[in-house]
Amino acid sequence: MELIYADISRHFQFVTLSHRWGEGEPSLRDIEGHTIYGMSIKRGFGKLQAFCRVALELNYLWAWSDTCCIDRHSSAEVQETIGSMFTWYRQSALTIIYLSDVPDTGLLGSSEWLRRGWTLQELLAPRNVLFYTEDWSSYKNLVSSNHKTDVAVLEELERETGIEPRFLTNFSPGLDDARSRLQWASLRRTTRPEDIAYSLFGIFNLHLSVMYGESAENALGRLLAEIVSHSGDISVLDWVG
């Protein structure tokens, strides 16, 4: 029975994509009813096709990309997605991190991916990650099956993000080290100002309502109030410091 369970589990393992959104990202409505490889290779469609090819080369049958696996026209689905995003990345067998602005000989630190709000949880949640450069080559031609086990990569990430390797490799969502978690996010940016708060819900394992159109200050205020309410740690109130 255990062997059957293991075989079934392997069959349904999935890979997630972490990337910086660009122009022309395919939506759910764009791809419904179409074969991925039969579509345009322009802009985000080409990225999606390359991601699926890499996942298949790594012997995975299922691949998940946030651009086209979420119905962004449904407010209820967006709310559920934001509340579940950390869990999806945590439960993935592998997260492929695509650095569209890093050439084959470039360094992680030059990528805008490290400066975006949503990618913080996409770095912390997965247990297994692989970095790919702009031409879809493995970062520094590393042959490891998990770049979170590479000491040099971890040192680069710590230098660029200020996040200690122990958090990068074994992160638990919750309210511990709340001030540090807020500081990790303090230099990151989001396209929509309120997303800087929403992108932290999973990291703190908090479930709050998503209200697009509110100010970033209001969204962060609600988040901080919830953190203080649950943890009693008022030091988070000067986290920008």
Side-chain angles (χ1 to χ4, degrees):
M1 195 68 182
E2 289 182 4
L3 287 175
I4 294 173
Y5 177 80
D7 284 342
I8 292 174
S9 296
R10 275 195 297 271
H11 178 80
F12 287 106
Q13 286 182 330
F14 65 96
V15 182
T16 49
L17 174 66
S18 177
H19 62 115
R20 184 187 176 195
W21 283 38
E23 294 293 326
E25 296 287 356
S27 69
L28 175 64
R29 296 183 182 185
D30 289 328
I31 69 166
E32 279 185 315
H34 298 281
T35 302
I36 294 294
Y37 301 114
M39 302 179 72
S40 167
I41 61 171
K42 293 180 180 179
R43 299 189 291 183
F45 289 89
K47 176 170 56 178
L48 179 63
Q49 291 167 354
F51 163 57
C52 290
R53 274 194 291 268
V54 169
L56 191 59
E57 288 168 3
L58 294 171
N59 296 315
Y60 292 98
L61 300 177
W62 304 95
W64 184 93
S65 171
D66 55 359
T67 60
C68 59
C69 291
I70 301 165
D71 185 356
R72 286 173 267 159
H73 297 279
S74 167
S75 58
E77 185 160 333
V78 170
Q79 172 80 50
E80 181 180 357
T81 295
I82 289 175
S84 306
M85 191 77 74
F86 186 96
T87 300
W88 291 346
Y89 279 94
R90 171 55 55 90
Q91 292 180 347
S92 67
L94 171 69
T95 292
I96 290 174
I97 300 173
Y98 177 56
L99 308 173
S100 61
D101 52 357
V102 175
D104 193 34
T105 56
L107 296 175
L108 276 173
S110 66
S111 181
E112 186 67 15
W113 183 88
L114 287 170
R115 296 167 184 86
R116 305 303 296 174
W118 285 107
T119 58
L120 178 58
Q121 71 174 350
E122 295 166 16
L123 171 64
L124 294 170
R127 293 187 172 88
N128 301 293
V129 306
L130 290 175
F131 288 96
Y132 283 82
T133 56
E134 64 179 355
D135 66 352
W136 288 94
S137 298
S138 178
Y139 180 60
K140 289 187 174 180
N141 295 312
L142 295 170
V143 296
S144 167
S145 61
N146 179 13
H147 289 166
K148 283 193 174 185
T149 64
D150 188 284
V151 173
V153 172
L154 289 176
E155 288 176 350
E156 278 188 82
L157 288 170
E158 181 180 17
R159 185 167 58 250
E160 297 298 332
T161 65
I163 304 173
E164 297 173 46
R166 65 189 176 100
F167 291 117
L168 292 168
T169 58
N170 190 30
F171 180 80
S172 296
L175 299 171
D176 293 341
D177 302 294
R179 194 167 187 273
S180 294
R181 297 177 188 213
L182 288 164
Q183 287 175 328
W184 299 338
S186 64
L187 298 177
R188 291 174 176 257
R189 299 183 299 276
T190 55
T191 302
R192 299 191 67 153
E194 59 270 49
D195 273 340
I196 198 61
Y198 303 162
S199 65
L200 297 174
F201 289 179
I203 287 172
F204 287 104
N205 195 26
L206 293 173
H207 299 276
L208 300 172
S209 57
V210 173
M211 299 186 294
Y212 278 113
E214 69 175 325
S215 66
E217 291 77 11
N218 192 69
L220 282 168
R222 291 195 295 118
L223 175 63
L224 292 174
E226 197 74 5
I227 292 171
V228 172
S229 172
H230 284 82
S231 70
D233 182 5
I234 62 172
S235 71
V236 300
L237 298 177
D238 82 352
W239 65 284
V240 177

